[in-house]
Amino acid sequence: MGRLKDLELPPRMVDASLLAAVLTLLATGLYSLVVGRPTGAWVFDVHAVAGLSTVVLLGWKLRRVRHRVTPSRLDATRAISVLLAITTTAALATGIWWVFGGSLDLGGWGLLNLHIGLGLLVPVFLIIHLRSRFALPRRETVTERRNALRYAALVGSGAIAWRAQESANRLLDTAGAERRFTGSREEGSDDGNGFPVTSWVADDPDPVDRDAWNLAVDGAVAEPLELGYEAVAAVGDRDADGGGDPITSSERRALLDCTSGWYSVHDWQGVRVGDLLEAVDPDDGAAWVQFRSVTGYRFSLPREEARDALLATHVDGQRLSHGHGAPTRLVAPGRRGFQWVKWVEEVRLTRRREVGEWVAIFVSGA
């Protein structure tokens, strides 16, 4: 027991390290929502190691302050500190539970969504807590060789624990063993519209009438284009406007990785965005392609990346259902699910990315 206590950092270093760990968890957690390619796997590794290190730091912190939170000594400031400890513990517990294959049905939400929600609450309570209870460690304490070794041991043990859980999951054959590097688990691959229906924040429009729906391709282009459903649907070659190059149907196998914690692989059929761009003759300065939903939701891709994206009307040979974005949705390989815009009604080329679209994704809805 004494040797274990020798590994413990001084109180002020514990507090500063908890702050650094929470900021790291917040930054990597938010960034992980937009990482869909394996080259970004390091973000999830850093997030996990920071989380496991926080478990140890929080244990040291709670052991030191436990005598201050008795009912007779509880005031408003300490109540916030208790809420911070409970929320942080719950965020860590739900993350660890997910890693080991846990699940939780919360209606339209799940265990990973709960983990994210709790993680976003932690900084709120932390800011309030720090206003009255934070002091930076002295410089000599930070630079002391013994403390540097303690810190290295803390982070190193977090990294070892993170790697050890992979072996444990495989050995126990848990659901956690089948995770993608993003943490998502496979569900509904190659099952047409059978994969989960989820929508980002408030998007929940009424079904779109295919006969009345049109797709506009406009913005910084020489020849704006408007297509009806039959001209976009993946039912063979279509002439977009009665002249010029035909808009041809395309098929692409792509993986959809949702931030709700699942992924699914399908054959998507529709129109290649690059074909649409060639048909409208974009301006040389048009650098972004924005996909706008009937709900006001919108997201942009760099022009070169957008060329290889697909506007899908079918999945695994089935016509897209309303919940999956019919009449057409964006298929953007390497991007996370919330960036695969549903119910697309406009493709707009722009010279600059619209900053407001980052606000729109949180307030859109119909």
Side-chain angles (χ1 to χ4, degrees):
M1 187 69 178
R3 289 186 176 182
L4 288 176
K5 196 173 186 309
D6 288 341
L7 295 175
E8 186 172 335
L9 292 168
R12 287 192 179 185
M13 280 196 70
V14 170
D15 293 347
S17 297
L18 275 171
L19 174 60
V22 168
L23 292 177
T24 300
L25 288 168
L26 180 64
T28 54
L30 291 174
Y31 184 42
S32 72
L33 296 178
V34 299
V35 174
R37 295 181 173 89
T39 52
W42 65 268
V43 177
F44 299 88
D45 290 334
V46 171
H47 186 78
V49 171
L52 291 168
S53 299
T54 301
V55 172
V56 178
L57 290 167
L58 190 61
W60 288 341
K61 175 73 172 181
L62 293 177
R63 187 185 64 80
R64 191 178 83 235
V65 303
R66 64 186 184 280
H67 64 280
R68 302 179 192 168
V69 293
T70 57
S72 60
R73 302 185 64 180
L74 202 61
D75 55 20
T77 301
R78 286 177 178 152
I80 291 295
S81 300
V82 171
L83 283 175
L84 172 60
I86 292 173
T87 306
T88 304
T89 301
L92 292 170
T94 51
I96 293 171
W97 187 12
W98 176 264
V99 165
F100 280 100
S103 61
L104 188 64
D105 186 2
L106 299 173
W109 301 86
L111 179 60
L112 194 59
N113 298 116
L114 178 60
H115 171 69
I116 293 171
L118 290 168
L120 292 174
L121 278 178
V122 169
V124 176
F125 292 133
L126 182 63
I127 290 171
I128 300 172
H129 172 79
L130 291 179
R131 290 181 63 186
S132 59
R133 296 190 177 278
F134 182 72
L136 288 171
R138 296 182 180 88
R139 182 176 180 180
E140 56 269 24
T141 304
V142 176
T143 56
E144 186 179 336
R145 182 173 179 271
R146 181 171 57 180
N147 287 331
L149 292 174
R150 287 169 171 167
Y151 213 88
L154 172 67
V155 176
S157 62
I160 292 170
W162 174 236
R163 291 306 177 196
Q165 64 77 27
E166 295 178 352
S167 299
N169 271 317
R170 286 194 295 268
L171 181 64
L172 299 173
D173 195 24
T174 68
E178 303 301 324
R179 300 190 324 273
R180 194 168 180 250
F181 74 90
T182 59
S184 296
R185 303 171 193 155
E186 187 172 16
E187 188 170 349
S189 289
D190 297 313
D191 190 24
N193 287 292
F195 62 100
V197 175
T198 56
S199 291
W200 182 259
V201 190
D203 274 359
D204 185 25
D206 293 330
V208 179
D209 183 353
R210 290 185 178 88
D211 294 332
W213 173 87
N214 286 297
L215 174 70
V217 187
D218 53 26
V221 302
E223 303 177 18
L225 181 66
E226 190 168 287
L227 304 171
Y229 179 75
E230 289 303 320
V232 178
V235 292
D237 292 355
R238 297 286 180 182
D239 192 322
D241 55 3
D245 296 330
I247 302 295
T248 59
S249 63
S250 298
E251 180 172 321
R252 180 160 189 183
R253 188 164 181 81
L255 182 150
L256 170 60
D257 191 331
C258 182
T259 53
S260 294
W262 56 267
Y263 75 90
S264 199
V265 185
H266 300 274
D267 294 314
W268 305 87
Q269 297 88 31
V271 173
R272 182 174 169 270
V273 174
D275 291 342
L276 293 176
L277 301 187
E278 290 174 8
V280 296
D281 189 15
D283 295 352
D284 291 340
W288 294 90
V289 181
Q290 185 182 77
F291 301 87
R292 301 173 66 94
S293 171
V294 299
T295 67
Y297 188 104
R298 50 198 182 271
F299 197 83
S300 295
L301 297 177
R303 180 171 162 183
E304 285 306 308
E305 179 183 351
R307 290 183 59 83
D308 290 328
L310 195 73
L311 282 180
T313 57
H314 290 65
V315 56
D316 298 328
Q318 296 179 9
R319 180 177 284 183
L320 278 178
S321 66
H322 168 64
H324 288 310
T328 186
R329 75 173 299 165
L330 176 64
V331 173
R335 295 280 182 166
R336 299 303 292 276
F338 77 94
Q339 298 165 320
W340 290 37
V341 183
K342 295 181 180 180
W343 310 294
V344 176
E345 66 174 0
E346 182 181 14
V347 177
R348 177 180 295 178
L349 283 97
T350 61
R351 292 175 175 81
R352 297 181 181 83
R353 187 172 192 177
E354 181 194 346
V355 177
E357 72 184 23
W358 287 103
V359 177
I361 64 175
F362 290 104
V363 299
S364 65

